[in-house]
Amino acid sequence: MKSLSLILFFVLAIFVITSKATKKWLPAVNGYNRNDAINGYAGLMGNAITGLRVSGGNPYRVHIKGGEWLPEVTGNNKNDFNNGYAGTKEGNVIDAVAISGDVNYVVHIKGGQWLPVVNGYDITEPTNGYAGIIGQAIDAIMIKERTYATSYNDNNNNDNNSGNNNGNNGNDCYDHSTIASAAVAYAWGTISEGNSNDGTQLYRAVKDAIFPGDIYYQSCDRGVATAVRWSGADDSFPAGNTGSQDNYLKNSNLWTFIGNYDQSYNELKPGDVVITIPERRGTKYGHIVLYVGNAEIRKKYPNSNAEFVSASLGDRSPGCGDNKNAYIGGGYHIYRYNGNYSGNDKNAYTGCASGTS
């Protein structure tokens, strides 16, 4: 009986050690623009904030989801646990922030939207004393006229302060085990959030790893090709003009033609590629999007009614939007990946999320 107890103890110890979340800090920013994903705000959309550093020397503090307000800090040093940042060593999820110094600041609710701007510093006053909604994780923050940075847990993209891994290969915190989940993982919550910017931090990191040196982020073909390759489905899926992609889909044994969109859109399944070319569309450019399904999008953005992830050349980076009616009458065709995702974690691009840290 004693030996059985020892075995159970060691099994539990191993579980705790291997499931522990690791705090990763994102690069510091000093902008104040929700449309600037590079320097306008701190955070990785869809991943709960677990730490905050702010310059200026004024007191600030955070509230832990399911817990309490932590003590004030004034520093800006990720290596100083006592006064360098607000948050716990364990990487508990944060749901509210209070910053002193008569500064404007605003937070984004994970799976939700940006809240109103506040500039107060009073944890008893939820209207203007702090930013956030107690009980709802935040995944981004903007602070005016400050340099600031946030952390997230690299093996945990939920918001329940646990250490579950939702990925497909154990080396990052994003579920990209299918084409649909990969696309949603790096997409904005809405199409408009992608307007005139190069995408979420995750999208830029993954795309840079898959297509190094490529300068096109606001592009429908890259938005699709990045998800297909990152999922491990098809390492050879091309980026570039839709004519070459259409030709590839026709001739690849990994893809099955399902039918013309106008007649077959009710047969769509998550991960299906929907594509048209100038000759069929009657315009100068073709277009390509991914049907991911509303259920997949709601895992990350619970209030969304969207069904597709799409981008547009020179216009916007990948975001969730549209429904099945949006692509009727445009000469679109539907193609479906017919391979097996099992074992795809060994393919060339499935580890690309490490570029965000």
Side-chain angles (χ1 to χ4, degrees):
M1 187 71 179
K2 184 176 180 180
S3 56
L4 177 60
S5 298
L6 286 171
I7 292 171
L8 290 173
F9 171 80
F10 284 115
V11 169
L12 179 60
I14 291 170
F15 172 78
V16 170
I17 291 171
T18 56
S19 63
K20 185 178 179 181
T22 302
K23 184 194 297 288
K24 283 197 173 183
W25 287 96
L26 294 167
V29 300
N30 58 17
Y32 187 77
N33 183 352
R34 68 184 64 184
N35 296 315
D36 178 3
I38 298 174
N39 191 51
Y41 62 83
L44 195 59
M45 291 292 185
N47 290 265
I49 290 175
T50 60
L52 173 67
R53 309 193 323 258
V54 184
S55 70
N58 299 107
Y60 61 98
R61 64 196 305 188
V62 299
H63 186 275
I64 298 302
K65 183 182 176 189
E68 60 187 359
W69 285 99
L70 298 183
E72 291 180 339
V73 296
T74 59
N76 180 20
N77 183 351
K78 66 181 179 182
N79 297 315
D80 178 5
F81 170 70
N82 293 318
N83 191 50
Y85 66 87
T88 65
K89 284 183 178 179
E90 297 76 19
N92 294 94
V93 169
I94 292 169
D95 58 7
V97 174
I99 304 172
S100 68
D102 193 27
V103 59
N104 289 348
Y105 57 104
V106 57
V107 299
H108 186 275
I109 298 296
K110 181 184 174 187
Q113 59 188 357
W114 289 99
L115 297 181
V117 175
V118 300
N119 61 10
Y121 185 69
D122 182 351
I123 62 173
T124 67
E125 209 283 282
T127 303
N128 193 48
Y130 62 85
I133 300 173
I134 302 299
Q136 297 190 36
I138 61 175
D139 58 7
I141 183 170
M142 296 190 301
I143 308 172
K144 198 166 187 178
E145 298 179 347
R146 294 288 188 274
T147 298
Y148 53 103
T150 60
S151 67
Y152 68 99
N153 291 340
D154 76 337
N155 67 339
N156 172 22
N157 82 340
N158 55 34
D159 60 3
N160 59 7
N161 280 326
S162 70
N164 297 328
N165 187 334
N166 295 324
N168 70 335
N169 59 3
N171 70 350
D172 56 64
C173 61
Y174 314 99
D175 179 8
H176 52 97
S177 56
T178 66
I179 295 170
S181 63
V184 173
Y186 63 57
W188 294 109
T190 63
I191 285 178
S192 61
E193 285 181 278
N195 287 343
S196 303
N197 65 63
D198 288 339
T200 63
Q201 294 183 49
L202 178 59
Y203 172 64
R204 299 195 310 272
V206 175
K207 183 194 157 295
D208 285 348
I210 294 175
F211 300 107
D214 180 74
I215 63 172
Y216 296 100
Y217 296 86
Q218 301 172 41
S219 185
C220 62
D221 59 292
R222 270 71 165 179
V224 171
T226 300
V228 173
R229 291 196 183 195
W230 191 31
S231 71
D234 185 354
D235 287 351
S236 299
F237 195 93
N241 67 74
T242 54
S244 64
Q245 290 180 310
D246 191 64
N247 188 59
Y248 178 85
L249 289 162
K250 288 178 183 176
N251 294 286
S252 172
N253 59 10
L254 290 176
W255 297 89
T256 299
F257 176 66
I258 302 302
N260 295 326
Y261 187 89
D262 292 11
Q263 288 77 44
S264 306
Y265 66 89
N266 285 323
E267 300 175 32
L268 284 167
K269 292 184 178 181
D272 283 354
V273 171
V274 177
I275 184 171
T276 188
I277 58 177
E279 292 80 1
R280 296 199 301 264
R281 196 183 191 193
T283 59
K284 183 178 179 180
Y285 298 106
H287 195 40
I288 185 170
V289 301
L290 280 172
Y291 176 77
V292 297
N294 183 247
E296 187 66 45
I297 292 175
R298 281 178 177 260
K299 292 177 184 179
K300 183 177 180 183
Y301 302 109
N303 299 319
S304 176
N305 293 317
E307 297 181 275
F308 291 81
V309 169
S310 68
S312 182
L313 180 63
D315 181 31
R316 55 184 173 83
S317 55
C320 300
D322 296 330
N323 55 39
K324 293 177 182 177
N325 293 330
Y327 300 102
I328 293 175
Y332 288 88
H333 288 174
I334 302 171
Y335 287 89
R336 182 169 301 152
Y337 174 62
N338 59 38
N340 189 339
Y341 286 108
S342 177
N344 282 355
D345 57 328
K346 298 180 179 63
N347 288 1
Y349 302 106
T350 52
C352 293
S354 59
T356 60
S357 61

